[in-house]
Amino acid sequence: MSFLLHGIGVSGGIAIGRAQLVSHATLEVAHYEIKREQVPSEIERFDAAVNQVARELDALWGQIQETDTPSEVGAFIDVHAMLLRDEMLAKAPRDIIAAELCNAEWALVQQMNRLVEQFEQIEDAYLRERKQDVVQVVERVLTVLLGKPGPVLAQHPEQRTILVAHDLSPADMIRYKKHAFAAFLTDLGGATSHTAIVAKSLNIPAVVALHNGRSLIRENEWLIVDGAHNVVIVNPDKAVLAEYRLKQEEFDLERQKLKRLKTKRATTLDGQVVELHANIELPSDVRDVLESGANGVGLFRSEFLFLNRYGLPTEDEQFEAYRSVAVGLGGRPVTIRTFDLGADKNMEGISAGLDRVTMNPALGLRAVRFCLSEPHLFLTQLRAILRASHFGKVKILIPMLCNVYELTQVLQLIDRAKESLRVERASFDENIAVGGMIEIPAAALSIGGFAERLDFLSIGTNDLIQYTLAIDRADDAVAHLYDPTHPAVLKLLAMAIKGANKAGIPIAVCGEMAGEVSFTRILLGLGVREFSMHPNHLLAVKQRVLNSDVPQLEITVNKMLKTDDPDKIAVYMERLKL
Ligand code: PEP
Ligand code: MG
C-alpha cells in the first residue's frame, strides 16, 4: 500500500531508494550488497571473526586468573562469552547475510539492533541494561571484521539506501560523511538541529520530524524522499516513480547549471559586493568549499572534529586539523569557532560536568560558558588556533556570548595563550582577528558592548531564533514555531547589524538562514554583506544576490521592521520575491 508521510525537509532534492531501518548510533559500518556466490565466504568470514573473539575472551580469562583482578571483571567476561555463543548473535547474522545478500558487518549490526530493541522492552532495569553487553560483544566482533575486509564487493547499494531512524545525534550524523546513502529520514529533530545541519552538509535529501516514520516504514520498502516539499512517499506506484525520476533529473540539471556561477563575483544589481563564505565541520570539507567557489570559511564548527572520540584532542592534534584547513584554503580566510560543546553536542570523557543531566541543556553549560569553566581546555584550543594562524588567514570566533564579562575573560585567555607562545618562540599571527557570535537576544540587545571590543561579529540565527522564540531547535514538537521572519527576530537582526555598522566592524550571518534563498533578500535589505552557509547552498544564494537590487529591498525591509503584524510581514516577503 502506498502512503505519504510529512515532515520537515532539511535538505532539498529528490532521492529514490529502499528503506534501511536503523536503531541508533551504533551503525558505523558500511552496507554492501554481495553476489549470491559470495555468501559462503562472507559467512565464513563472520564465523572466523566470532571464533577469534571467543579466543580473545578465553585469553583474557586466563590473564585475570593470573592477576588479582576483581571477580566482577571475570563475571563480565563470562557474560560476553555466553552471549557470543548464543544463536541470536552467532547464528542469526549468517541468515541475514544469506537472505539479504549483505556484508557480515551490516548483518551483525542489524541483528544487534533487533536484540537491543528487545532488551529495551524489558521492565527490569538491571536486565534492560544488559543490552550494553550485547553492544560490547558486537563491537568486539566488528573490530575483527573491519580489520579483515571481505572479498571485492559487487556494488555499492548505499547510493540507493535511505536510512530511516527514530533519532540520530550530531555525532552519529558526522560518521555518515564517510558513506554514500541516498537520503536520511528521522522521526525527531527540527530544521536547525545540529543533526539536520550535518545532514545538509552531506548534500543529500533529508526529512526530519516524521514522528512515526520509523514504525510505519518497513525494511526494504521503496521510498521517494522529496526534501524540498517535506514529504516521503512510501511504496510509490510505477506512475509516481516515473514522475519523480523525471523531477530528479530536472533538479540535477538545475544544479549543474548553477555551476556556471562558480567564478562569478557575487555583486548585486546596484553594484554592492557580497562575500559568500562556507560553513564546515571537518577539514575534509575544504574540498567542497573550493568546489563551491566560496570566498573562504565563515564558520568552522571545530567541536565536530572530536565528537566521536573519548576525551579531548591534544593541542598538536587540534593544531594539525586547523593548520590543514588554513593551508587547504590557499590564502582564503578561515574563521574557527571555538568549541561549542554542550546541549545536543556532547563528548565522552570530559570532566567538566557536561554529562550532568539538566532540565534545559540548551540553557546550561554550553559553548563559551563551558570553555570558561575549563580554562585549561580552552587555552589548549586557543594555542592550537594561534599556532595555525601562522599558516594562513585564521580568525577566532567565540560562540554564545551573553555578557561582556565573558568576553573580557576570553580576551585575557587569548592574551595568555599568545604570551605562552611568545615564550616558546612559536610563530603566530599577533594581530589575529577575534569575533563574537550573536546568538543570544541579550547580546543583540546590548550589541554596543561587544562591537567595541571585537574585530567582527557573526549572527548565529539558529540559536538567536531558538532563544528569542523559546523553541528548542532539536524538538520536532515545536518545530512549526520556528520562524525567521517573526517581528522580534527581524528587530534583533536589525539591531545587531546597526550596532556593528556604528562600531565600524563587519557583521556576517552564519546560521541556516544565510543559506536559504528565500531569506537572501531580507538579509541584504537589512544590510548583511557577508553570508556563511553550507557550500552546497552557495551558488543558489549567489544567483539570488546577482538578481537583487539593494535600494529596492531596503524600502520593503524597512516597512517590515515597522510592523508587528505577521500577515503584513508575509505580504512583504512575497514582495521581496519579485
Ligand atoms: C547558529 O546558532 O546559528 C550557528 C551558526 O551555530 P550552531 O548552529 O552551530 O549552533
Ligand atoms: Mg549556535
Side-chain angles (χ1 to χ4, degrees):
M1 191 190 58
S2 177
F3 61 94
L4 271 189
L5 290 171
H6 292 266
I8 301 172
V10 294
S11 244
I14 292 165
I16 301 172
R18 286 188 185 270
Q20 197 82 64
L21 307 186
V22 290
S23 282
H24 43 74
T26 39
L27 173 80
E28 273 184 75
V29 299
H31 172 209
Y32 302 108
E33 219 165 81
I34 56 172
K35 291 185 188 147
R36 195 162 290 286
E37 56 270 27
Q38 288 174 319
V39 167
S41 60
E42 196 60 5
I43 291 182
E44 211 173 286
R45 196 165 75 89
F46 171 72
D47 287 346
V50 170
N51 290 336
Q52 181 172 326
V53 173
R55 284 195 299 276
E56 283 171 11
L57 289 174
D58 266 354
L60 260 179
W61 186 227
Q63 277 168 23
I64 61 168
Q65 280 184 327
E66 286 162 19
T67 56
D68 51 357
T69 315
S71 60
E72 297 83 33
V73 179
F76 272 120
I77 294 172
D78 276 346
V79 171
H80 285 192
M82 195 185 72
L83 282 170
L84 192 65
R85 279 194 304 272
D86 195 291
E87 297 221 327
M88 297 304 283
L89 265 187
K91 294 274 180 320
R94 305 163 111 235
D95 299 338
I96 296 175
I97 294 170
E100 295 184 16
L101 298 181
C102 63
N103 53 319
E105 293 89 343
W106 185 260
L108 180 59
V109 170
Q110 296 309 297
Q111 178 60 9
M112 177 194 71
N113 284 340
R114 280 172 210 162
L115 292 175
V116 165
E117 260 173 37
Q118 286 169 14
F119 271 92
E120 277 165 358
Q121 312 293 329
I122 299 175
E123 268 189 30
D124 182 279
Y126 176 78
L127 288 177
R128 198 168 52 240
E129 280 316 301
R130 292 307 98 222
K131 69 178 181 213
Q132 292 307 341
D133 293 308
V134 174
V135 173
Q136 283 162 11
V137 173
V138 167
E139 278 171 353
R140 278 182 183 278
V141 181
L142 278 179
T143 308
V144 177
L145 278 172
L146 293 170
K148 293 181 181 152
V152 179
L153 298 155
Q155 33 182 313
H156 295 272
E158 279 185 350
Q159 284 153 13
R160 288 181 276 116
T161 298
I162 294 174
L163 287 194
V164 185
H166 181 61
D167 191 18
L168 291 168
S169 71
D172 302 333
M173 207 35 124
I174 209 88
R175 292 185 188 127
Y176 294 121
K177 287 216 179 210
K178 286 187 246 141
H179 301 287
F181 294 108
F184 282 92
L185 304 177
T186 63
D187 288 347
L188 305 184
T192 62
S193 65
H194 286 101
T195 300
I197 288 172
V198 186
K200 225 179 240 189
S201 75
L202 301 179
N203 208 8
I204 54 174
V207 178
V208 300
L210 284 168
H211 301 292
N212 298 312
R214 175 72 171 70
S215 48
L216 293 173
I217 297 170
R218 280 186 308 223
E219 189 81 11
N220 237 14
E221 271 181 326
W222 276 102
L223 302 174
I224 295 175
V225 180
D226 184 347
H229 296 96
N230 309 318
V231 290
V232 179
I233 307 171
V234 186
N235 274 325
D237 61 31
K238 276 195 180 141
V240 174
L241 260 177
E243 185 191 328
Y244 271 89
R245 287 203 198 283
L246 209 67
K247 283 190 187 182
Q248 203 175 24
E249 279 169 24
E250 283 165 9
F251 182 86
D252 291 344
L253 207 68
E254 279 307 308
R255 241 188 211 178
Q256 277 310 108
K257 276 200 224 156
L258 277 178
K259 289 201 172 146
R260 288 194 297 235
L261 300 179
K262 180 178 163 183
T263 52
K264 204 167 169 66
R265 196 131 196 240
T267 315
T268 58
L269 290 172
D270 57 305
Q272 309 224 28
V273 177
V274 177
E275 293 275 310
L276 299 180
H277 292 263
N279 293 353
I280 62 167
E281 282 96 34
L282 300 174
S284 54
D285 295 336
V286 167
R287 206 182 35 236
D288 294 341
V289 177
L290 299 177
E291 188 61 29
S292 74
N295 300 113
V297 167
L299 174 67
F300 178 4
R301 290 182 163 99
S302 66
E303 67 281 359
F304 274 91
L305 275 171
F306 309 114
L307 279 188
N308 289 307
R309 58 178 284 155
Y310 186 85
L312 275 173
T314 62
E315 181 182 311
D316 281 349
E317 279 176 275
Q318 293 190 52
F319 162 68
E320 267 314 316
Y322 307 144
R323 192 190 62 92
S324 78
V325 172
V327 171
L329 287 173
R332 295 172 190 81
V334 50
T335 303
I336 303 177
R337 177 178 71 186
T338 55
F339 292 141
D340 180 2
L341 288 162
D344 59 346
K345 288 175 291 189
N346 279 315
M347 273 194 70
E348 286 180 70
I350 294 183
S351 58
L354 270 191
D355 48 358
R356 286 174 322 144
V357 179
T358 55
M359 293 291 275
N360 297 299
L363 302 181
L365 200 61
R366 186 190 153 186
V368 71
R369 303 167 179 191
F370 161 68
C371 285
L372 288 175
S373 75
E374 288 284 302
H376 286 295
L377 175 155
F378 198 18
L379 264 176
T380 304
Q381 181 174 36
L382 293 171
R383 278 176 51 98
I385 298 176
L386 282 165
R387 283 170 59 197
S389 71
H390 179 63
F391 297 88
K393 209 167 164 194
V394 175
K395 303 181 197 182
I396 301 177
L397 180 62
I398 311 298
M400 288 270 298
L401 286 168
C402 171
N403 61 55
V404 288
Y405 299 121
E406 286 170 336
L407 182 52
T408 308
Q409 287 180 66
V410 171
L411 296 175
Q412 279 168 357
L413 282 170
I414 293 176
D415 282 344
R416 260 177 68 187
K418 283 183 175 177
E419 190 48 43
S420 65
L421 290 172
R422 278 184 210 113
V423 171
E424 293 167 23
R425 297 186 183 282
S427 306
F428 66 92
D429 176 5
E430 282 280 358
N431 299 313
I432 191 165
V434 180
M437 288 192 75
I438 302 302
E439 309 186 85
I440 300 181
L445 288 162
S446 57
I447 192 77
F450 298 97
E452 70 189 28
R453 291 171 172 81
L454 286 162
D455 301 312
F456 66 98
L457 295 171
S458 189
I459 308 177
T461 49
N462 307 331
D463 279 313
L464 187 64
I465 295 170
Q466 151 165 270
Y467 296 124
T468 305
L469 305 183
I471 46 162
D472 183 341
R473 61 194 267 196
D475 185 351
D476 54 298
V478 290
H480 60 289
L481 298 172
Y482 172 79
D483 179 12
T485 62
H486 188 293
V489 174
L490 296 182
K491 288 190 174 83
L492 289 170
L493 289 173
M495 204 173 264
I497 294 161
K498 207 169 141 196
N501 290 344
K502 197 169 159 208
I505 59 167
I507 184 160
V509 172
C510 65
E512 294 309 286
M513 216 179 151
E516 294 274 336
V517 278
S518 52
F519 299 125
T520 306
R521 286 187 172 155
I522 195 168
L523 294 174
L524 284 172
L526 282 165
V528 178
R529 297 292 176 268
E530 197 179 316
F531 295 62
S532 194
M533 69 202 85
H534 275 299
N536 41 51
H537 294 199
L538 198 133
L539 294 177
V541 170
K542 191 187 273 189
Q543 190 177 42
R544 186 57 61 98
V545 169
L546 291 166
N547 297 325
S548 297
D549 181 57
V550 175
Q552 287 265 320
L553 300 178
E554 280 171 350
I555 297 171
T556 310
V557 170
N558 284 336
K559 286 183 188 157
M560 276 173 119
L561 287 171
K562 289 202 180 89
T563 179
D564 287 335
D565 180 346
D567 291 339
K568 282 193 184 149
I569 291 179
V571 172
Y572 291 132
M573 277 299 283
E574 282 303 308
R575 208 174 280 174
L576 287 179
K577 282 189 195 159
L578 300 175

